[in-house]
Amino acid sequence: MRVVAGRWRGRRLQAPAGEAVRPTTDRTKEALFSILGPLVEGAVVLDLCCGAGGLGIEALSRGAGEAVFVDAARSSLQAVRENLVRCGAGAGTWQLVAGDAETWLRRWSGSAGRPWLLLCDPPYPTGIAAAMMSLVASGTLPDGLQAAVVEYGPRTPDTETLPAGWRERRYGESRLAVFRPVDPAAAAEDAP
C-alpha cells in the first residue's frame, strides 16, 4: 500500500497486523481521487472506518487542509499515526478519533463552514456501507459537504439498491458509491 499522488507520492504505508484491515487498492484509490478532483484542495476530509488511513493520507498528500481519521480499532489508529509521522504530516492537519464511525458522524458538528468530504471504506461483510449512504442521503449532516464516497464489495448487505442521489462505479471486486449534493441555486437555474 502506498500514496499514489501528491507531495508524498510513492511513500509506503503500513497496515496494522492481522486480517482485520483491507486497504483500498491503488487502482480504486486512483479512481476515487479522479472522481473528487479539485474538491480535495483545502477541504476537511473525514476518513471513516479508516483502517491504515490510506484515503485520508492520500487526501492530505493531494492538498486537503485537514483529515479526521475515525476507527473503532485502536491498532488501526496507531497505524495511522505511524503512517502520518512517516509521511511528515503536520500535527495541526490531522486528528485521530477512536469510536464507531456512524455514531461519530451523527454527532459531528461540522467543519466550521469549510467544505468537507466524506470517505468511508468499512469492512465489506457489514451493514456499515448502507448505513453511511442512508445517513448522507438523509440530508441531516452539517452544511459544506462537497462529496461522499463509500467503498463496498459485491456481497455487501443492503447495497443492491442505493439511496437516492448515489451512483455506483465498479473497479474489479470493489464498488464505489458516489454522492454529490445538489446545489439548490444550480437546480433552480435548470428548472423550466
Side-chain angles (χ1 to χ4, degrees), residues 28-113:
T28 303
K29 196 183 308 182
E30 286 179 30
L32 186 156
F33 282 94
S34 177
I35 291 166
L36 296 175
L39 295 176
V40 174
E41 185 70 35
V44 174
V45 175
L46 308 182
D47 186 350
L48 306 180
C49 301
C50 66
L55 297 179
I57 291 171
E58 185 75 33
L60 287 171
S61 180
R62 292 172 183 245
E66 180 183 349
V68 180
F69 300 88
V70 181
D71 204 291
R74 297 217 182 254
S75 60
S76 288
L77 295 175
Q78 182 60 35
V80 173
R81 179 184 304 281
E82 291 169 8
N83 287 328
L84 288 161
V85 169
R86 185 176 292 116
C87 289
T93 62
W94 52 273
Q95 177 184 358
L96 303 178
V97 178
D100 174 75
E102 182 183 358
T103 302
W104 179 85
L105 184 59
R106 286 182 186 280
R107 294 180 181 158
W108 185 57
S109 60
S111 58

Side-chain angles (χ1 to χ4, degrees), residues 104-137:
W104 179 85
L105 184 59
R106 286 182 186 280
R107 294 180 181 158
W108 185 57
S109 60
S111 58
R114 292 169 54 196
W116 60 280
L117 303 169
L118 183 149
L119 308 178
C120 184
D121 183 8
Y124 283 177
T126 67
I128 297 171
M132 286 292 179
M133 287 184 242
S134 293
L135 180 57
V136 170

